[in-house]
Coordinates of all heavy atoms in Angstrom, one line a residue:
M1 N -4.8 0.3 -0.8 CA -5.5 -0.8 0.0 C -6.4 -1.6 -1.0 O -7.1 -1.0 -1.9 CB -6.4 0.0 1.0 CG -7.2 -1.0 1.8 SD -8.0 -0.2 3.2 CE -9.6 -0.8 3.1
N2 N -6.3 -2.8 -1.0 CA -7.0 -3.7 -1.9 C -8.4 -3.9 -1.4 O -8.6 -4.4 -0.2 CB -6.3 -5.0 -2.0 CG -6.9 -6.0 -3.0 OD1 -8.0 -5.6 -3.6 ND2 -6.4 -7.2 -3.2
E3 N -9.5 -3.6 -2.0 CA -10.8 -3.7 -1.7 C -11.5 -4.8 -2.4 O -12.8 -4.8 -2.5 CB -11.6 -2.4 -1.7 CG -10.9 -1.4 -0.8 CD -11.8 -0.1 -0.7 OE1 -13.0 -0.1 -1.0 OE2 -11.2 1.0 -0.3
A4 N -10.8 -5.7 -3.0 CA -11.4 -6.8 -3.8 C -12.2 -7.7 -2.9 O -11.8 -8.0 -1.8 CB -10.3 -7.5 -4.6
I5 N -13.3 -8.2 -3.4 CA -14.0 -9.2 -2.7 C -14.0 -10.5 -3.5 O -14.4 -10.5 -4.7 CB -15.6 -8.8 -2.5 CG1 -15.7 -7.5 -1.6 CG2 -16.4 -10.0 -1.8 CD1 -15.1 -7.7 -0.2
Y6 N -13.4 -11.6 -2.9 CA -13.3 -12.8 -3.8 C -14.5 -13.6 -3.4 O -15.0 -13.6 -2.3 CB -12.0 -13.4 -3.3 CG -10.8 -12.6 -3.6 CD1 -10.3 -11.8 -2.6 CD2 -10.1 -12.7 -4.8 CE1 -9.2 -11.1 -2.9 CE2 -9.0 -11.8 -5.1 CZ -8.6 -11.0 -4.1 OH -7.5 -10.2 -4.3
N7 N -14.8 -14.6 -4.4 CA -16.1 -15.4 -4.2 C -15.9 -16.7 -4.8 O -15.0 -16.9 -5.6 CB -17.3 -14.6 -4.6 CG -17.4 -14.5 -6.1 OD1 -17.6 -15.5 -6.7 ND2 -17.0 -13.4 -6.6
R8 N -16.8 -17.6 -4.3 CA -16.7 -19.0 -4.9 C -18.2 -19.3 -5.6 O -18.6 -20.4 -5.6 CB -16.6 -20.1 -3.7 CG -15.2 -20.0 -3.0 CD -15.2 -21.0 -2.0 NE -13.8 -21.2 -1.6 CZ -13.4 -21.6 -0.4 NH1 -14.4 -21.8 0.6 NH2 -12.2 -21.9 -0.1
I9 N -18.7 -18.2 -6.1 CA -20.1 -18.4 -6.8 C -20.0 -19.4 -7.9 O -20.8 -20.3 -8.0 CB -20.6 -17.1 -7.2 CG1 -20.9 -16.2 -5.9 CG2 -22.0 -17.3 -7.9 CD1 -21.2 -14.7 -6.3
A10 N -19.1 -19.2 -8.8 CA -18.9 -20.1 -9.9 C -18.8 -21.6 -9.5 O -19.4 -22.5 -10.1 CB -17.8 -19.7 -10.9
M11 N -17.9 -21.9 -8.5 CA -17.8 -23.2 -8.0 C -19.0 -23.8 -7.5 O -19.4 -25.0 -7.8 CB -16.6 -23.2 -6.9 CG -16.3 -24.6 -6.4 SD -15.2 -24.6 -5.0 CE -16.3 -24.1 -3.7
L12 N -19.7 -22.9 -6.6 CA -21.0 -23.4 -6.1 C -22.1 -23.7 -7.2 O -22.8 -24.7 -7.1 CB -21.5 -22.4 -5.0 CG -20.7 -22.4 -3.7 CD1 -21.0 -21.1 -2.9 CD2 -20.9 -23.6 -2.9
R13 N -22.0 -22.9 -8.2 CA -23.0 -23.1 -9.2 C -22.7 -24.4 -10.0 O -23.6 -25.2 -10.3 CB -22.9 -21.9 -10.3 CG -23.7 -20.8 -10.0 CD -23.9 -19.8 -11.1 NE -22.7 -19.6 -12.0 CZ -22.5 -20.2 -13.2 NH1 -23.3 -21.1 -13.6 NH2 -21.3 -19.9 -13.7
A14 N -21.3 -24.5 -10.3 CA -21.0 -25.8 -10.9 C -21.3 -27.1 -10.2 O -21.7 -28.0 -10.6 CB -19.5 -25.8 -11.2
E15 N -21.1 -27.1 -8.9 CA -21.4 -28.2 -8.0 C -22.8 -28.5 -8.1 O -23.2 -29.7 -8.0 CB -21.0 -27.9 -6.6 CG -19.6 -27.9 -6.2 CD -19.3 -27.6 -4.7 OE1 -20.2 -27.2 -4.0 OE2 -18.2 -27.8 -4.3
R16 N -23.7 -27.5 -8.2 CA -25.1 -27.7 -8.2 C -25.7 -27.8 -9.6 O -26.9 -28.0 -9.7 CB -25.8 -26.6 -7.3 CG -25.5 -26.8 -5.9 CD -25.8 -25.5 -5.1 NE -25.5 -25.6 -3.7 CZ -24.4 -25.8 -3.0 NH1 -23.3 -25.7 -3.6 NH2 -24.4 -26.0 -1.6
G17 N -24.9 -27.6 -10.6 CA -25.4 -27.7 -12.0 C -26.4 -26.6 -12.4 O -27.3 -27.0 -13.1
I18 N -26.2 -25.4 -11.9 CA -27.2 -24.4 -12.3 C -26.4 -23.3 -13.1 O -25.2 -23.1 -12.9 CB -27.8 -23.8 -11.0 CG1 -26.9 -23.0 -10.0 CG2 -28.7 -24.8 -10.3 CD1 -27.5 -22.4 -8.9
S19 N -27.2 -22.7 -13.9 CA -26.6 -21.7 -14.9 C -26.6 -20.3 -14.1 O -27.3 -20.2 -13.1 CB -27.4 -21.6 -16.1 OG -28.7 -21.0 -15.8
R20 N -25.9 -19.3 -14.7 CA -25.9 -18.0 -14.2 C -27.3 -17.5 -14.3 O -27.8 -16.8 -13.4 CB -25.0 -17.1 -15.1 CG -23.6 -17.3 -14.8 CD -22.7 -16.3 -15.6 NE -21.3 -16.6 -15.3 CZ -20.3 -16.1 -16.0 NH1 -20.6 -15.3 -17.2 NH2 -19.2 -16.2 -15.6
R21 N -28.0 -17.8 -15.3 CA -29.4 -17.3 -15.5 C -30.3 -17.8 -14.4 O -31.2 -17.1 -13.8 CB -30.0 -17.5 -16.9 CG -31.4 -16.9 -17.1 CD -31.9 -17.0 -18.5 NE -30.9 -16.4 -19.5 CZ -30.9 -15.2 -19.8 NH1 -31.8 -14.4 -19.3 NH2 -30.2 -14.7 -20.7
E22 N -30.2 -19.1 -14.1 CA -31.0 -19.7 -13.1 C -30.8 -19.2 -11.7 O -31.7 -18.9 -10.9 CB -30.7 -21.3 -13.1 CG -31.3 -22.0 -14.2 CD -30.8 -23.5 -14.3 OE1 -29.7 -23.7 -13.9 OE2 -31.6 -24.3 -14.8
L23 N -29.5 -19.0 -11.4 CA -29.1 -18.3 -10.2 C -29.7 -16.9 -10.0 O -30.3 -16.4 -9.1 CB -27.6 -18.3 -9.9 CG -27.2 -17.7 -8.6 CD1 -27.8 -18.3 -7.4 CD2 -25.6 -17.7 -8.5
A24 N -29.5 -16.1 -11.1 CA -30.0 -14.8 -11.2 C -31.6 -14.7 -11.0 O -32.0 -13.9 -10.3 CB -29.6 -14.2 -12.5
D25 N -32.3 -15.6 -11.7 CA -33.7 -15.6 -11.5 C -34.1 -16.0 -10.1 O -35.0 -15.4 -9.5 CB -34.3 -16.7 -12.4 CG -34.3 -16.3 -13.9 OD1 -34.1 -15.2 -14.2 OD2 -34.5 -17.1 -14.8
A26 N -33.4 -16.9 -9.4 CA -33.7 -17.2 -8.1 C -33.4 -16.1 -7.0 O -34.1 -15.9 -6.1 CB -32.9 -18.4 -7.6
L27 N -32.4 -15.2 -7.5 CA -32.0 -14.0 -6.6 C -32.8 -12.8 -7.1 O -32.7 -11.8 -6.3 CB -30.5 -13.8 -6.7 CG -29.7 -15.0 -6.2 CD1 -28.2 -14.7 -6.4 CD2 -29.9 -15.2 -4.6
G28 N -33.4 -12.8 -8.1 CA -34.1 -11.5 -8.6 C -33.2 -10.5 -9.1 O -33.4 -9.3 -9.0
V29 N -32.1 -10.9 -9.7 CA -31.2 -10.0 -10.3 C -30.9 -10.4 -11.8 O -31.3 -11.4 -12.3 CB -29.7 -10.0 -9.6 CG1 -29.8 -9.6 -8.1 CG2 -29.1 -11.4 -9.6
H30 N -30.3 -9.5 -12.6 CA -30.0 -9.7 -13.9 C -28.9 -10.8 -14.1 O -27.9 -10.8 -13.2 CB -29.6 -8.4 -14.6 CG -29.6 -8.6 -16.1 ND1 -28.6 -9.0 -16.9 CD2 -30.5 -8.1 -17.1 CE1 -28.8 -9.0 -18.1 NE2 -30.0 -8.4 -18.2
Y31 N -28.9 -11.6 -15.0 CA -27.9 -12.7 -15.1 C -26.5 -12.2 -15.3 O -25.6 -12.8 -14.9 CB -28.3 -13.7 -16.2 CG -28.0 -13.2 -17.7 CD1 -26.8 -13.4 -18.3 CD2 -29.0 -12.4 -18.4 CE1 -26.5 -12.9 -19.5 CE2 -28.8 -12.0 -19.6 CZ -27.5 -12.2 -20.2 OH -27.3 -11.7 -21.5
Q32 N -26.4 -11.0 -15.9 CA -25.1 -10.4 -16.1 C -24.4 -10.0 -14.7 O -23.3 -10.0 -14.6 CB -25.1 -9.2 -16.9 CG -25.3 -9.5 -18.4 CD -25.4 -8.3 -19.3 OE1 -26.0 -7.2 -18.9 NE2 -24.9 -8.4 -20.5
T33 N -25.3 -9.8 -13.7 CA -24.8 -9.4 -12.4 C -24.0 -10.6 -11.9 O -23.0 -10.4 -11.2 CB -26.0 -9.1 -11.5 OG1 -26.6 -8.0 -12.0 CG2 -25.5 -8.7 -10.0
I34 N -24.5 -11.8 -12.0 CA -23.8 -13.0 -11.6 C -22.5 -13.1 -12.3 O -21.4 -13.4 -11.6 CB -24.6 -14.3 -11.8 CG1 -26.1 -14.2 -11.2 CG2 -24.0 -15.6 -11.3 CD1 -26.0 -13.9 -9.8
G35 N -22.4 -12.8 -13.5 CA -21.1 -12.8 -14.2 C -20.1 -11.8 -13.7 O -18.9 -12.0 -13.5
Y36 N -20.6 -10.6 -13.4 CA -19.8 -9.5 -12.8 C -19.3 -10.0 -11.5 O -18.1 -9.7 -11.1 CB -20.6 -8.2 -12.7 CG -21.0 -7.6 -14.0 CD1 -22.1 -6.9 -14.2 CD2 -20.1 -7.6 -15.2 CE1 -22.6 -6.3 -15.3 CE2 -20.5 -7.0 -16.3 CZ -21.7 -6.4 -16.4 OH -22.1 -5.7 -17.6
L37 N -20.1 -10.6 -10.7 CA -19.7 -11.1 -9.4 C -18.6 -12.1 -9.5 O -17.6 -12.1 -8.8 CB -20.9 -11.6 -8.6 CG -21.9 -10.6 -8.1 CD1 -23.2 -11.3 -7.6 CD2 -21.3 -9.7 -6.9
E38 N -18.9 -13.1 -10.4 CA -17.9 -14.3 -10.5 C -16.5 -13.7 -11.0 O -15.5 -14.2 -10.5 CB -18.6 -15.2 -11.4 CG -19.6 -15.9 -10.9 CD -20.2 -17.0 -11.8 OE1 -19.8 -17.2 -13.0 OE2 -21.1 -17.8 -11.4
R39 N -16.5 -12.8 -11.8 CA -15.3 -12.2 -12.4 C -14.6 -11.2 -11.4 O -13.6 -10.7 -11.6 CB -15.5 -11.6 -13.8 CG -15.8 -12.6 -14.8 CD -15.8 -12.0 -16.1 NE -16.8 -10.9 -16.3 CZ -18.1 -11.0 -16.7 NH1 -18.6 -12.2 -16.8 NH2 -18.8 -9.9 -16.8
G40 N -15.3 -10.8 -10.3 CA -14.7 -9.9 -9.4 C -14.9 -8.5 -9.9 O -14.1 -7.5 -9.4
E41 N -15.7 -8.3 -10.9 CA -15.9 -6.9 -11.4 C -16.9 -6.1 -10.6 O -17.1 -4.9 -10.8 CB -16.3 -7.0 -12.9 CG -15.3 -7.6 -13.7 CD -15.7 -7.8 -15.2 OE1 -16.9 -7.4 -15.5 OE2 -15.0 -8.5 -15.9
Y42 N -17.5 -6.7 -9.6 CA -18.7 -6.0 -8.8 C -18.6 -6.7 -7.5 O -18.6 -8.0 -7.3 CB -20.0 -6.3 -9.6 CG -21.2 -5.9 -8.8 CD1 -21.5 -4.6 -8.6 CD2 -22.1 -6.8 -8.3 CE1 -22.7 -4.2 -7.9 CE2 -23.2 -6.5 -7.7 CZ -23.5 -5.1 -7.5 OH -24.6 -4.8 -6.8
S43 N -18.8 -5.9 -6.4 CA -18.8 -6.4 -5.1 C -20.3 -6.3 -4.6 O -20.9 -5.3 -4.9 CB -18.0 -5.6 -4.1 OG -16.6 -5.8 -4.4
P44 N -20.8 -7.3 -4.2 CA -22.3 -7.4 -3.8 C -22.6 -6.6 -2.6 O -21.7 -6.4 -1.7 CB -22.5 -8.9 -3.5 CG -21.2 -9.3 -3.0 CD -20.2 -8.7 -3.8
S45 N -23.8 -6.1 -2.5 CA -24.3 -5.4 -1.3 C -24.4 -6.5 -0.3 O -24.3 -7.7 -0.5 CB -25.6 -4.7 -1.5 OG -26.6 -5.8 -1.7
L46 N -24.3 -6.1 1.0 CA -24.6 -7.0 2.0 C -25.8 -7.8 1.9 O -25.9 -9.0 2.1 CB -24.5 -6.3 3.4 CG -24.7 -7.3 4.7 CD1 -23.7 -8.3 4.7 CD2 -24.7 -6.4 5.9
H47 N -26.9 -7.2 1.5 CA -28.2 -7.8 1.2 C -28.1 -8.9 0.2 O -28.6 -10.1 0.4 CB -29.2 -6.8 0.8 CG -30.6 -7.3 0.7 ND1 -31.3 -7.5 -0.5 CD2 -31.5 -7.7 1.7 CE1 -32.4 -8.0 -0.3 NE2 -32.6 -8.2 1.0
L48 N -27.4 -8.6 -0.9 CA -27.3 -9.6 -2.0 C -26.4 -10.7 -1.5 O -26.6 -11.9 -1.8 CB -26.8 -9.0 -3.2 CG -26.5 -9.9 -4.4 CD1 -27.8 -10.7 -4.7 CD2 -26.0 -9.2 -5.6
A49 N -25.3 -10.5 -0.8 CA -24.4 -11.5 -0.3 C -25.1 -12.5 0.6 O -25.0 -13.7 0.5 CB -23.2 -10.9 0.4
L50 N -26.0 -11.9 1.4 CA -26.8 -12.7 2.4 C -27.7 -13.6 1.6 O -28.0 -14.7 2.0 CB -27.4 -11.8 3.4 CG -26.4 -11.3 4.5 CD1 -27.1 -10.2 5.3 CD2 -25.7 -12.3 5.3
R51 N -28.4 -13.0 0.6 CA -29.3 -13.8 -0.2 C -28.6 -14.9 -0.9 O -29.2 -16.0 -1.1 CB -30.1 -12.9 -1.2 CG -31.1 -12.1 -0.5 CD -31.9 -11.1 -1.3 NE -32.0 -11.2 -2.7 CZ -31.7 -10.3 -3.6 NH1 -31.3 -9.1 -3.2 NH2 -31.8 -10.5 -4.9
I52 N -27.4 -14.7 -1.5 CA -26.7 -15.7 -2.1 C -26.3 -16.8 -1.2 O -26.5 -18.0 -1.5 CB -25.4 -15.1 -2.9 CG1 -25.8 -14.1 -4.0 CG2 -24.4 -16.2 -3.3 CD1 -24.6 -13.3 -4.5
S53 N -25.9 -16.4 0.0 CA -25.6 -17.4 1.1 C -26.7 -18.2 1.4 O -26.7 -19.5 1.5 CB -25.1 -16.6 2.3 OG -24.9 -17.5 3.4
A54 N -27.9 -17.6 1.6 CA -29.2 -18.3 1.9 C -29.5 -19.3 0.8 O -29.9 -20.4 1.0 CB -30.3 -17.4 2.2
H55 N -29.3 -18.9 -0.5 CA -29.7 -19.7 -1.6 C -28.8 -21.0 -1.7 O -29.4 -22.1 -1.8 CB -29.5 -18.9 -2.9 CG -29.8 -19.7 -4.1 ND1 -31.1 -20.0 -4.6 CD2 -29.0 -20.5 -4.9 CE1 -31.1 -20.7 -5.6 NE2 -29.8 -21.1 -5.9
F56 N -27.5 -20.8 -1.4 CA -26.6 -21.9 -1.4 C -26.6 -22.7 0.0 O -26.1 -23.8 0.0 CB -25.3 -21.6 -1.8 CG -25.1 -21.2 -3.3 CD1 -24.7 -20.0 -3.7 CD2 -25.3 -22.2 -4.2 CE1 -24.5 -19.7 -5.0 CE2 -25.2 -21.9 -5.6 CZ -24.8 -20.6 -6.0
E57 N -27.3 -22.1 0.9 CA -27.4 -22.7 2.3 C -26.0 -23.0 2.9 O -25.7 -24.0 3.5 CB -28.3 -24.0 2.2 CG -29.7 -23.8 1.8 CD -30.6 -25.1 1.7 OE1 -29.9 -26.1 1.3 OE2 -31.7 -25.0 1.9
V58 N -25.2 -22.0 2.8 CA -23.9 -22.0 3.3 C -23.7 -20.7 4.0 O -24.2 -19.7 3.7 CB -22.8 -22.4 2.5 CG1 -23.0 -23.9 1.9 CG2 -22.7 -21.4 1.3
P59 N -22.7 -20.6 5.0 CA -22.4 -19.3 5.7 C -21.8 -18.4 4.7 O -21.2 -18.8 3.7 CB -21.4 -19.7 6.8 CG -21.6 -21.2 7.0 CD -22.1 -21.7 5.8
V60 N -22.1 -17.1 4.8 CA -21.6 -16.2 3.8 C -20.0 -16.2 3.7 O -19.5 -16.0 2.6 CB -22.1 -14.7 4.2 CG1 -21.4 -14.2 5.5 CG2 -22.0 -13.8 3.0
E61 N -19.4 -16.5 4.7 CA -17.8 -16.5 4.6 C -17.3 -17.7 3.9 O -16.1 -17.7 3.5 CB -17.2 -16.4 6.1 CG -17.6 -17.5 7.0 CD -18.8 -17.3 7.8 OE1 -19.6 -16.4 7.5 OE2 -19.0 -18.1 8.8
V62 N -18.2 -18.7 3.6 CA -17.8 -19.8 2.7 C -17.8 -19.3 1.2 O -16.9 -19.8 0.5 CB -18.8 -21.0 2.8 CG1 -18.6 -22.0 1.7 CG2 -18.6 -21.6 4.2
I63 N -18.6 -18.3 0.9 CA -18.7 -17.7 -0.5 C -17.8 -16.6 -0.7 O -17.2 -16.5 -1.7 CB -20.1 -17.4 -0.8 CG1 -21.1 -18.6 -0.5 CG2 -20.3 -17.0 -2.2 CD1 -22.5 -18.3 -0.6
F64 N -17.8 -15.7 0.2 CA -17.0 -14.4 0.1 C -15.9 -14.2 1.1 O -15.9 -14.7 2.2 CB -18.1 -13.2 0.3 CG -19.1 -13.2 -0.7 CD1 -20.5 -13.8 -0.3 CD2 -19.0 -12.8 -2.0 CE1 -21.4 -13.8 -1.3 CE2 -20.1 -12.7 -2.9 CZ -21.2 -13.3 -2.6
S65 N -14.8 -13.6 0.6 CA -13.7 -13.4 1.4 C -12.9 -12.0 1.0 O -13.0 -11.8 -0.3 CB -12.7 -14.5 1.4 OG -11.5 -14.2 2.0
T66 N -12.2 -11.4 1.8 CA -11.4 -10.3 1.4 C -9.9 -10.8 1.0 O -9.2 -10.0 0.5 CB -11.2 -9.3 2.5 OG1 -10.7 -10.0 3.7 CG2 -12.6 -8.6 2.8
D67 N -9.7 -12.0 1.2 CA -8.5 -12.7 0.8 C -8.8 -13.8 -0.3 O -9.8 -14.3 -0.2 CB -7.8 -13.4 2.0 CG -7.4 -12.5 3.1 OD1 -6.8 -11.4 2.8 OD2 -7.7 -12.7 4.3
P68 N -7.8 -13.9 -1.1 CA -8.1 -14.9 -2.2 C -8.2 -16.3 -1.6 O -7.6 -16.7 -0.6 CB -6.8 -14.9 -3.1 CG -6.2 -13.6 -2.8 CD -6.6 -13.3 -1.4
F69 N -9.2 -17.1 -2.2 CA -9.3 -18.5 -1.7 C -8.2 -19.3 -2.3 O -7.7 -19.1 -3.4 CB -10.7 -19.1 -2.2 CG -11.8 -18.5 -1.6 CD1 -12.6 -17.5 -2.1 CD2 -12.2 -18.9 -0.2 CE1 -13.7 -17.1 -1.6 CE2 -13.3 -18.3 0.3 CZ -14.1 -17.4 -0.4
P70 N -7.7 -20.3 -1.5 CA -6.6 -21.2 -2.0 C -7.2 -22.0 -3.2 O -8.4 -22.3 -3.2 CB -6.3 -22.2 -0.9 CG -7.4 -22.0 0.1 CD -8.1 -20.7 -0.2
R71 N -6.3 -22.3 -4.1 CA -6.7 -23.1 -5.3 C -7.1 -24.5 -4.8 O -6.6 -25.0 -3.9 CB -5.7 -23.2 -6.4 CG -5.5 -21.9 -7.1 CD -4.4 -22.0 -8.1 NE -4.6 -23.0 -9.1 CZ -5.4 -22.8 -10.1 NH1 -5.8 -21.6 -10.4 NH2 -5.5 -23.8 -11.0
L72 N -8.2 -25.1 -5.5 CA -8.6 -26.5 -5.1 C -7.4 -27.3 -5.4 O -6.8 -27.3 -6.4 CB -9.8 -26.9 -5.9 CG -11.0 -26.1 -5.6 CD1 -12.2 -26.6 -6.5 CD2 -11.5 -26.3 -4.1
G73 N -7.1 -28.2 -4.4 CA -6.0 -29.2 -4.6 C -4.6 -28.6 -4.1 O -3.7 -29.2 -4.1
A74 N -4.6 -27.3 -3.7 CA -3.4 -26.8 -3.3 C -2.8 -27.4 -2.1 O -1.7 -27.7 -2.0 CB -3.6 -25.3 -3.0
A75 N -3.7 -27.8 -1.1 CA -3.4 -28.5 0.1 C -2.8 -29.9 -0.2 O -1.9 -30.3 0.4 CB -4.4 -28.5 1.1
A76 N -3.4 -30.5 -1.2 CA -3.0 -31.9 -1.5 C -1.6 -31.9 -2.1 O -0.8 -32.9 -1.9 CB -4.0 -32.5 -2.4
T77 N -1.3 -30.9 -3.0 CA 0.0 -30.9 -3.5 C 1.1 -30.5 -2.5 O 2.3 -30.9 -2.8 CB 0.1 -29.9 -4.7 OG1 -0.3 -28.6 -4.2 CG2 -0.8 -30.3 -5.9
R78 N 0.8 -29.8 -1.4 CA 1.8 -29.5 -0.4 C 2.0 -30.7 0.5 O 3.0 -30.8 1.2 CB 1.3 -28.3 0.4 CG 1.6 -27.0 -0.3 CD 1.3 -25.9 0.7 NE 0.1 -25.3 0.1 CZ -1.1 -25.1 1.0 NH1 -1.0 -25.3 2.2 NH2 -2.2 -24.5 0.4
A79 N 1.0 -31.5 0.7 CA 1.1 -32.7 1.6 C 2.1 -33.8 1.2 O 2.6 -33.9 0.2 CB -0.2 -33.3 1.8

């Protein structure tokens, strides 16, 4: 059974122009935690996932999924 948690943290950070360290400081975690999350090496606790969601002001399911997110532009190439 695949228990990977996929996320869009790096994409959201890039959209907003914030560094891993800035996000980590805002969340009260170590900056390496953000890197581990982005690379899928660490699954966040529910509490941390909800804090990340609140920070980016989007629903948690926009950031996290048990299924891989489609690549950006994938729908446009199929159309």
